[in-house]
Amino acid sequence: MRPRRICCIGAGYVGGPTMAVIADRCPDLTVTVVDLNAARVAAWNDPDLSRLPVYEPGLDAVVGRCRGRNLFFSTAVEQAIAAADMVFLSVNTPTKTRGLGAGQASDLKWVEASARTVAEAATGHTIVVEKSTLPVRTAEAIQAILGSGRPGQSFSVLSNPEFLAEGTAIRDLEEPDRVLIGGADPEAIEALAAIYARWVPQPRILRTNLWSSELSKLTANAFLAQRISSINSIAAFCEATGADVSEVARAIGADTRIGEKFLQAGPGFGGSCFQKDILNLVYLCRHYGLEEVAAYWEQVVRLNTWQQHRIARLVVTRLFGTVTGKRIGLLGFAFKADTNDTRESPAIRIARDLLEEGAQLQIVDPKVSEQQITRDLGLPPGEGEGSWQLASGVEAAASGADALVLVTEWDVFARIHWPAVVAVMRQPAWLFDARGRADETAARAAGLRVWRIGQG
Ligand code: NAD
Ligand code: UDX
């Protein structure tokens, strides 16, 4: 079984970059990424590679090499499925907003819909690969939807969760720590493994059963998020006691059993995955009657929400207890650097809290558009108390402001020329560095009062 044609349903942050790298590494495979969202597909086909719908360093070059050669973006979903011998499901699986499990369980309606489309359109033997992050045992439901197939159809279902992080997606895809393939059909597993083996060393291609694969993805995200809540909890304790969280992180990270990665204190984790996947884990644990296990993981999310509100509160407190009518520059809006993604960005909660207090926000982000911020805040740009505007740069964000709040760790914010920025601010002026990213010495020398995450 050697796949020749691949179809990926879902041209999002995962489907687009993942398929681009597969097409790049396997020029003999034809890879078609399909989506119902015609505007998104059109953006993937935009001749101007700087306008792809997903911003990821290096993605434009990969797409530029393969698009039109063996990588295609299309809205012709059924046609691409019919031609494919392997179909990836890479659709969104957000938290349910209503009904059973609302606020915790994953909403599987897009997965179910795409599986039904596969059942209708597939021809011959088709390997169906779960690329979306899914609750453990979802493969059972997909198998049931696909059924035994109409005459001439047959299916094998695999789980192949994606571990890429946004901002480093291309590097993560080209040099993954591991690729995980779960399944029950050895032939299908080896067919998928053979694709990755073109550029991933065999020892890094892990094979497990379906349920272990599905659950490993939720567990990996839960462990990573747990580290962030752990270090953020210690950051608050450092601030209360005079310790410095960056020194504590360095000291504990030097222990090879703990390791140095993912110990950067900040405004709380954002992104489309961590919160959603932990809440899903919590929901599943409760479903299986494991209340203590559910409560344990739930606390990781609670601490994260607390951290985001805490940052907004301490800004207000330091600005003499009120920000009503005050200008505050927000440095960054994306949930992390090097992405245009704002899903669950800590900037959203912090901005909303400050707007609620009557602040006038001046927001600057290298990649996030005014339309996106309008959607996220549920408020168009405006003037006066409780309003926001997009600023063209750091100086514009600082203009007339009492404070700057550094929320996203973009490189440009580490290289700010502070004297020029402080000159346009109202005194006494503050820098609240929620990422510990700014040149604190230079900011202080220029006359700013500085609060830095986790610094007592
Ligand atoms: P996304 O929202 O960016 O993209 C999903 C796409 O699927 C959308 O463009 C949507 O229009 C399309 N879609 C939905 N239903 C469809 C259907 N029936 N037919 C055709 N197209 C359909 O989502 P994403 O960030 O790419 O995430 C996809 C999955 O991957 C999720 O399960 C997520 O948890 C998981 N994941 C995401 C990341 C990440 O960094 N974003 C990392 C690892 C795993
Ligand atoms: C995450 C997982 O890392 C990835 O493996 C999975 O496939 C998808 O979810 P992503 O959300 O894209 O990736 O980015 P990640 O680098 O994990 O950052 C998530 C959030 O945690 C960001 O808001 C980031 O700023 C924050 N973070 C990360 C910290 O606050 N401190 C850290 O030390 C690391």
Side-chain angles (χ1 to χ4, degrees):
M1 197 187 303
R2 197 149 175 226
R4 294 256 153 249
R5 288 180 172 271
I6 289 181
C7 164
C8 173
I9 307 181
Y13 281 87
V14 169
T18 308
M19 292 303 128
V21 169
I22 289 182
D24 197 27
R25 298 300 170 128
C26 310
D28 53 317
L29 281 178
T30 302
V31 181
T32 307
V33 190
V34 294
D35 204 295
L36 296 174
N37 182 336
R40 210 166 202 187
V41 170
W44 280 111
N45 284 322
D46 197 313
D48 178 354
L49 288 167
S50 72
R51 298 218 296 244
L52 296 179
V54 168
Y55 172 71
E56 274 296 336
L59 175 64
D60 50 354
V62 178
V63 172
R65 278 199 294 275
C66 317
R67 200 178 54 188
R69 180 190 76 186
N70 65 328
L71 175 66
F72 303 92
F73 295 92
S74 161
T75 51
V77 180
E78 282 86 357
Q79 197 180 318
I81 293 170
D85 26 36
M86 185 177 276
V87 177
F88 287 79
L89 308 181
S90 186
V91 298
N92 36 322
T93 50
T95 304
K96 275 184 90 171
T97 53
R98 61 180 184 189
L100 196 65
Q104 290 200 324
S106 288
D107 193 338
L108 298 180
K109 74 177 176 200
W110 292 274
V111 172
E112 183 177 336
S114 46
R116 286 187 191 282
T117 313
V118 174
E120 280 157 25
T123 55
H125 184 69
T126 310
I127 300 174
V128 178
V129 186
E130 298 175 344
K131 184 51 101 177
S132 297
T133 302
L134 296 167
V136 56
R137 297 201 81 89
T138 303
E140 212 164 35
I142 291 178
Q143 192 77 66
I145 290 167
L146 297 172
S148 47
R150 292 195 311 270
Q153 268 187 334
S154 58
F155 299 101
S156 295
V157 179
L158 298 177
S159 159
N160 172 223
E162 184 48 61
F163 294 101
L164 69 80
E166 290 180 28
T168 53
I170 299 303
R171 196 184 65 210
D172 296 342
L173 288 164
E174 290 182 339
E175 292 168 41
D177 287 349
R178 80 314 208 172
V179 165
L180 180 56
I181 303 175
D185 172 355
E187 235 185 302
I189 292 174
E190 292 317 311
L192 181 55
I195 293 176
Y196 286 111
R198 308 276 277 273
W199 76 96
V200 179
Q202 274 292 355
R204 290 198 197 170
I205 304 177
L206 313 183
R207 291 126 169 116
T208 66
N209 77 30
L210 273 166
W211 322 132
S212 303
S213 174
E214 290 175 334
L215 186 54
S216 296
K217 175 63 197 178
L218 293 184
T219 308
N221 276 353
F223 269 60
L224 290 168
Q226 180 203 45
R227 271 174 84 94
I228 301 171
S229 280
S230 297
I231 200 68
N232 284 342
S233 73
I234 297 301
F237 197 35
C238 287
E239 290 163 30
T241 54
D244 183 331
V245 76
S246 58
E247 293 179 352
V248 173
R250 185 151 49 94
I252 65 166
D255 184 327
T256 51
R257 293 169 303 173
I258 295 176
E260 62 182 13
K261 291 183 181 161
F262 258 70
L263 287 178
Q264 176 66 50
F269 54 77
S272 63
C273 293
F274 282 169
Q275 176 172 308
K276 153 178 95 69
D277 293 345
I278 295 178
L279 291 176
N280 187 218
L281 186 64
V282 167
Y283 179 77
L284 293 169
C285 291
R286 289 228 161 90
H287 172 80
Y288 287 101
L290 299 167
E291 179 51 41
E292 282 71 17
V293 183
Y296 174 74
W297 288 110
E298 200 164 32
Q299 190 57 25
V300 171
V301 175
R302 280 180 191 223
L303 195 118
N304 195 56
T305 306
W306 172 79
Q307 177 78 343
Q308 296 175 1
H309 289 306
R310 184 173 89 82
I311 306 284
R313 258 198 322 270
L314 66 88
V315 170
V316 176
T317 307
R318 292 222 175 21
L319 295 183
F320 311 114
T322 175
V323 295
T324 308
K326 290 180 180 169
R327 292 180 190 280
I328 296 178
L330 212 59
L331 305 186
F333 204 81
F335 82 95
K336 64 185 281 195
D338 293 324
T339 176
N340 60 345
D341 196 347
T342 60
R343 290 178 286 181
E344 303 296 339
S345 175
I348 299 173
R349 203 166 263 146
I350 293 170
R352 281 203 183 132
D353 284 0
L354 294 173
L355 290 170
E356 178 77 25
E357 294 277 346
Q360 296 185 60
L361 301 180
Q362 302 177 147
I363 304 174
V364 59
D365 188 285
K367 289 288 170 193
V368 180
S369 68
E370 191 172 84
Q371 295 89 313
Q372 186 58 48
I373 299 175
T374 302
R375 277 196 292 273
D376 290 334
L377 297 180
L379 183 73
E383 280 177 33
E385 289 176 14
S387 70
W388 70 275
Q389 288 198 329
L390 193 67
S392 55
V394 175
E395 272 183 50
S399 175
D402 289 18
L404 291 172
V405 187
L406 196 162
V407 194
T408 312
E409 74 284 20
W410 285 100
D411 233 12
V412 284
F413 302 146
R415 292 185 270 107
I416 292 172
H417 180 57
W418 286 106
V421 169
V422 175
V424 300
M425 295 179 75
R426 188 166 84 154
Q427 297 303 323
W430 278 90
L431 166 65
F432 296 94
D433 185 357
R435 291 280 186 177
R437 189 58 199 250
D439 182 344
E440 186 187 336
T441 312
R444 279 189 201 280
L448 281 177
R449 298 170 179 208
V450 180
W451 172 89
R452 190 186 176 100
I453 186 89
Q455 193 177 57

